[in-house]
Amino acid sequence: TLQLERPEIRAHWNIPAGSTCFLFAGKLEEKKRITDLLAALERALQSGARMHLLVVGDGELRQLAMAQANRSRLPVTFAGFLNQSHMARAYTAADCLVLPSDHGETWGLVVNEAMACGLPAIVSDRVGCGQDLVVEGVTGFTFPFANVARLADLMTDCALDPVRLGELGSRAREHVRAYSIENAARATLDAVRYVTGIR
């Protein structure tokens, strides 16, 4: 499995051994709030915890985000766009997903994918899937939208307790199994049968 290649995958993206790697995966556009995440990382690093941010994706805010990271000398790797067949490597390299988006994130499929790969998630309270997938302190955490200080605190807590972070990831993998395509199809058929009265 890819887990056996984790040290090499992390090294490829310059993620130091022993650092908690947070993953941002998505288009670098306004609604995804990458600049909030970079500001939170800068603040969280003041705790002394070892952290790294892996940014997967491209978009109009890439140059702005890279400039922000360089200006503050943040430990960030900008991996650029990865096609779906390579995303598993990003999930393998990371320890926790962060999605700080606004209401434009009507669901956030990346959270499903990350949890299926054993990652907990930190999401803003405007991310659509938050109420279903993020069980507070069980599969991850939510924070008030645009509250950089609270996001930084959550990142710090996660980085300072990697054992608990691993446990959250295991529970996230179990929890998200209920959100499979098969279960969605079954529920849709049940709804159609209920409405039409056809059994």
Side-chain angles (χ1 to χ4, degrees), residues 26 29 52-53 70-72 77-78 89 95 98 105 116 119 123 135 141 149 176 186 190:
E29 60 187 350
H52 195 90
L53 175 62
N70 289 335
R71 188 170 57 249
S72 302
T77 300
F78 288 89
R89 299 177 72 81
D95 300 292
V98 183
E105 198 75 64
L119 296 184
V123 306
V135 181
F141 304 96
V176 83
R186 192 178 305 114
D190 288 345

Side-chain angles (χ1 to χ4, degrees), residues 71-173:
R71 188 170 57 249
S72 302
R73 297 181 179 176
L74 301 178
V76 182
T77 300
F78 288 89
F81 173 78
L82 295 181
N83 66 37
Q84 203 60 35
S85 63
H86 288 92
M87 277 304 300
R89 299 177 72 81
Y91 295 131
T92 298
D95 300 292
C96 182
L97 177 80
V98 183
L99 189 60
S101 305
D102 65 21
H103 279 311
E105 198 75 64
T106 52
W107 179 258
L109 191 59
V110 68
V111 178
N112 294 69
E113 294 176 356
M115 287 187 171
C117 292
L119 296 184
I122 300 173
V123 306
S124 89
D125 57 5
R126 293 190 181 177
V127 172
C129 69
Q131 290 187 344
D132 294 283
L133 298 186
V134 181
V135 181
E136 199 69 23
V138 178
T139 66
F141 304 96
T142 57
F143 67 95
F145 171 70
N147 189 328
V148 168
R150 180 58 183 150
L151 175 54
D153 288 344
L154 289 171
M155 292 171 70
T156 300
D157 291 346
C158 289
L160 291 175
D161 196 348
V163 172
R164 184 184 183 213
L165 193 58
E167 292 169 352
L168 290 171
S170 296
R171 289 197 288 265
R173 181 188 281 119

Side-chain angles (χ1 to χ4, degrees), residues 37-81:
L37 177 50
L38 292 169
L41 175 63
E42 182 176 8
R43 190 174 179 127
L45 286 165
Q46 295 171 11
S47 69
R50 298 178 65 191
M51 303 179 206
H52 195 90
L53 175 62
L54 176 61
V55 177
V56 174
D58 209 344
E60 65 264 24
L61 294 185
R62 179 170 180 166
Q63 293 305 317
L64 178 72
M66 290 178 75
Q68 182 179 351
N70 289 335
R71 188 170 57 249
S72 302
R73 297 181 179 176
L74 301 178
V76 182
T77 300
F78 288 89
F81 173 78

